[in-house]
Amino acid sequence: MLTPSPDAMRTLLARYNDLQLRHSQDSDYELQRSLEDVTYTLCVSTGTRTVHDALLAADMILRQAAAEEEAASGIPIRRMQITGASVPKPRTA
């Protein structure tokens, strides 16, 4: 499986987060479709089947890219710590 670039992953995650926030405030049909599209793209890009797994995989891709960049440069990269953040739990039917 091809691994998406960190920049592509950041773009997808930013789009997903923006749409999630907007959807929580307004459940417009077009907004719902856009959220479904970006969720599907995240899953395909990470080789996963659920948004929960896709978000975890995206996090790993970004952490690995940061570690490789840090190792190559020899300069520690400061990572933003987000307290209280959580990954959505998978829905059960």
Side-chain angles (χ1 to χ4, degrees):
M1 180 181 96
L2 293 174
T3 303
S5 74
D7 288 338
M9 197 57 23
R10 284 185 201 96
T11 300
L12 277 173
L13 289 171
R15 180 87 174 124
Y16 175 80
N17 287 329
D18 175 59
L19 289 168
Q20 273 288 79
L21 177 63
R22 291 174 44 206
H23 181 62
S24 71
Q25 298 166 347
D26 176 22
S27 56
D28 167 83
Y29 175 76
E30 289 298 320
L31 199 55
Q32 176 67 32
R33 288 293 305 145
S34 295
L35 182 58
E36 289 172 4
D37 287 346
V38 77
T39 299
Y40 173 80
T41 303
L42 263 172
C43 288
V44 169
S45 298
T46 58
T48 59
R49 291 182 174 226
T50 67
V51 69
H52 181 262
D53 291 342
L55 294 173
L56 291 174
D59 183 59
M60 290 302 297
I61 290 167
L62 294 177
R63 285 177 189 266
Q64 182 177 6
E68 289 171 2
E69 184 178 328
E70 187 175 301
S73 70
I75 300 171
I77 297 172
R78 291 187 60 200
R79 290 174 186 81
M80 182 173 35
Q81 295 293 338
I82 302 173
T83 57
S86 64
V87 175
K89 300 289 184 216
R91 291 185 181 180
T92 56

